[in-house]
């Protein structure tokens, strides 16, 4: 974690603030991965960048960012940490600024794989010792919410496979250009997963922790064990008892219905369990259409999309199916019918049928 200051800009927090923030990220990752993954950070000393923040500042809209300014920030930051640190000891690098969102233009972002693309040949080297930055670089301001810390770090952790990010943003980039900040109604860009995954929303309410991640993101990160995924094969009908996604003791954490080699339906159960899924907009069964042929969320297309159980609510806050309430979903395109039969504790008995 490279800590950077800027000339003539007073650091807006106390000395231990960054350490506390990233300790919370480690706790979040541990809960989301069922204790399988931990994150440990080593912090550099604070060092001052060679130029004022105005020379690095960028647009809050992803598609309007001056990438040369991102490159300059990354290069100057890693050069400042070059002498005292062996980059080969680490899995990735993050930059934490002694600056706020209003100073820089964005709350946080991922330099690579992200803002600068996700071509596997991108390499950042320090100008002094020629050290190569491992895997990727995330960038954060002091305004970054815990959900933002996860969001942009997860881009790096997911990596790049066959030229595609494994863990992309789940909000629509073209809509984000029109609604880049909370003041500009950023939630209008969250047409795919709403407030149900920090890869979409970062957070539900700023004063609270972020929601937990969806089963789709857990699968992309490799945090969901294969034996916890119940696959309903083509042509089959079945009843499944689906436990809450946050309860690792459940026999089944996600139901997968393959539609083709690259398309599937995922079903998960989100309940107020743990620190993070307690802050969701609602609770119940989420049904998602996943399409591995789509790399990024552009122009209304996305690698994963929620089915909205209640379209009268805004920002997919009513997306969950429940008993009582909206308890059935039929998809004539795939000839699939999903029905909630019974709620047992926090689990649901669910019927999956192939309809003609």
């Amino acid at each position: 974690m490279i800590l950077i200051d800027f000339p003539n800009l007073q650091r807006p927090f106390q000395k231990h603030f960054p350490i506390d923030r990233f300790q919370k990220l480690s706790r979040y990752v541990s809960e989301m991965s069922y204790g399988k993954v931990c994150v440990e950070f080593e912090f550099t000393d604070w060092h001052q960048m060679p130029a004022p923040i105005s020379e690095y500042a960028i647009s809050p809209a992803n598609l309007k960012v001056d990438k040369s300014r991102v490159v300059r920030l990354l290069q100057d930051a890693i050069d400042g940490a070059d002498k005292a640190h062996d980059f080969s000891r680490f899995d990735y690098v993050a930059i934490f600024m002694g600056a706020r969102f209003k100073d820089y233009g964005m709350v946080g972002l991922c330099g690579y794989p992200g803002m600068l693309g996700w071509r596997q040949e991108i390499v950042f080297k320090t100008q002094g010792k020629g050290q190569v930055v491992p895997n990727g670089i995330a960038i954060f301001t002091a305004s970054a919410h815990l959900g933002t810390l996860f969001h942009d770090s997860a881009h790096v952790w997911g990596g790049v496979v066959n030229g595609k990010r494994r863990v992309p943003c789940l909000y629509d980039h073209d809509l984000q250009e029109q609604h880049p900040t909370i003041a500009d109604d950023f939630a209008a860009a969250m047409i795919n997963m709403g407030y149900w995954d920090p890869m979409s929303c970062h957070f539900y309410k700023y004063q609270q922790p972020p929601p937990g991640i969806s089963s789709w993101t857990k699968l992309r990160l490799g945090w969901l064990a294969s034996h916890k995924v119940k696959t309903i094969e083509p042509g089959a009908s079945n009843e499944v008892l689906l436990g809450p996604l946050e309860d690792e003791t459940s026999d089944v954490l996600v139901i997968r219905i393959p539609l083709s080699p690259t398309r599937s339906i995922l079903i998960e159960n989100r309940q107020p369990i743990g620190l993070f899924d307690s802050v969701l907009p609602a609770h119940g069964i989420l049904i998602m259409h996943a399409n591995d042929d789509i790399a990024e969320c552009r122009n209304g297309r996305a690698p994963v999309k929620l089915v909205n159980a209640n379209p009268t609510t805004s920002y997919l806050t009513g997306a969950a199916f429940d008993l009582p309430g909206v308890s059935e979903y039929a998809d004539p395109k795939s000839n699939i019918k999903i029905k909630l039969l019974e709620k047992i504790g926090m689990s649901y008995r669910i019927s999956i049928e192939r309809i003609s």
Side-chain angles (χ1 to χ4, degrees):
M1 183 65 57
I2 302 175
L3 306 176
I4 59 174
D5 279 328
F6 300 89
N8 303 317
L9 184 66
Q10 185 175 358
R11 196 182 306 153
F13 47 76
Q14 299 297 318
K15 179 179 179 181
H16 294 290
F17 176 78
I19 297 173
D20 176 67
R21 299 292 282 174
F22 285 93
Q23 285 176 341
K24 290 179 179 177
L25 176 60
S26 185
R27 290 196 292 271
Y28 182 84
V29 167
S30 179
E31 185 166 321
M32 291 302 100
S33 67
Y34 310 106
K36 296 179 177 67
V37 179
C38 68
V39 187
E40 296 179 352
F41 295 92
E42 182 173 305
F43 294 82
T44 70
D45 292 331
W46 288 95
H47 69 271
Q48 191 169 105
M49 298 286 273
I53 196 167
S54 59
E55 296 190 21
Y56 302 100
I58 57 176
S59 167
N62 292 350
L63 300 180
K64 294 181 178 178
V65 166
D66 183 341
K67 295 182 179 181
S68 68
R69 288 179 169 235
V70 178
V71 170
R72 183 180 181 187
L73 177 80
L74 296 179
Q75 192 65 57
D76 288 348
I78 64 174
D79 287 344
D82 188 29
K83 284 187 178 180
H85 297 274
D86 177 3
F87 286 19
S88 68
R89 294 177 48 234
F90 304 98
D91 295 306
Y92 83 120
V93 170
I95 296 167
F96 195 85
M97 305 183 196
R100 298 183 179 92
F101 156 71
K102 66 177 183 178
D103 305 311
Y104 181 60
M106 275 197 178
V107 173
L109 66 146
C110 185
Y112 169 79
M115 194 62 67
L116 301 177
W118 35 93
R119 301 188 313 276
Q120 290 160 306
E121 64 268 22
I122 289 180
V123 175
F124 276 95
K125 286 185 178 181
T126 59
Q127 293 183 359
K129 293 163 31 178
Q131 296 194 80
V132 175
V133 173
N135 297 319
I137 309 177
I139 304 168
F140 304 106
T141 66
S143 305
H145 189 275
L146 173 58
T148 305
L149 303 184
F150 172 80
H151 178 109
D152 290 300
S153 294
H155 290 321
V156 181
W157 300 336
V160 178
V161 178
N162 298 323
K164 299 176 182 178
R165 292 192 294 182
R166 291 288 294 164
V167 185
C169 299
L170 295 181
Y171 57 79
D172 188 272
H173 287 281
D174 298 276
L175 289 174
Q176 193 267 349
E177 184 177 13
Q178 303 171 40
H179 308 277
T181 67
I182 294 175
D184 298 314
D185 192 21
F186 172 76
M190 301 182 331
I191 61 173
N192 303 308
M193 291 294 289
Y195 289 107
W196 300 90
D197 191 315
M199 298 311 299
S200 166
C201 64
H202 300 87
F203 55 84
Y204 178 42
K205 295 181 179 179
Y206 187 80
Q207 299 80 10
Q208 296 179 338
I213 60 179
S214 67
S215 59
W216 185 87
T217 299
K218 291 193 182 203
L219 287 166
R220 285 290 180 104
L221 286 167
W223 293 356
L224 249 177
S226 59
H227 68 274
K228 297 287 186 176
V229 180
K230 176 67 174 179
T231 299
I232 307 299
E233 296 297 340
S237 297
N238 214 328
E239 288 186 10
V240 180
L241 185 65
L242 181 63
L245 184 61
E246 294 307 294
D247 182 5
E248 189 188 13
T249 65
S250 301
D251 291 335
V252 179
L253 294 177
V254 59
I255 301 169
R256 178 178 177 269
I257 308 170
L259 306 177
S260 78
T262 57
R263 295 186 303 112
S264 62
I265 293 174
L266 297 176
I267 307 171
E268 68 184 32
N269 175 9
R270 304 294 288 274
Q271 296 295 320
I273 292 176
L275 177 61
F276 305 109
D277 267 9
S278 297
V279 299
L280 290 168
H283 302 95
I285 296 297
L286 296 185
I287 300 172
M288 295 158 280
H289 282 268
N291 188 339
D292 293 342
D293 292 326
I294 301 173
E296 297 288 328
C297 299
R298 295 293 309 271
N299 299 305
R301 301 178 74 236
V304 63
K305 271 183 174 287
L306 273 177
V307 174
N308 196 355
N310 187 357
T312 63
T313 62
S314 57
Y315 311 129
L316 293 168
T317 54
F321 293 78
D322 206 353
L323 290 168
V326 181
S327 59
E328 294 187 20
Y329 169 65
D331 181 16
K333 291 183 179 179
S334 57
N335 297 322
I336 297 291
K337 183 178 180 180
I338 299 166
K339 185 176 181 180
L340 280 56
L341 302 175
E342 180 184 12
K343 188 174 183 182
I344 305 171
M346 287 191 175
S347 299
Y348 290 81
R349 190 164 60 90
I350 299 174
S351 168
I352 296 99
E353 299 178 11
R354 300 280 173 168
I355 56 178
S356 56

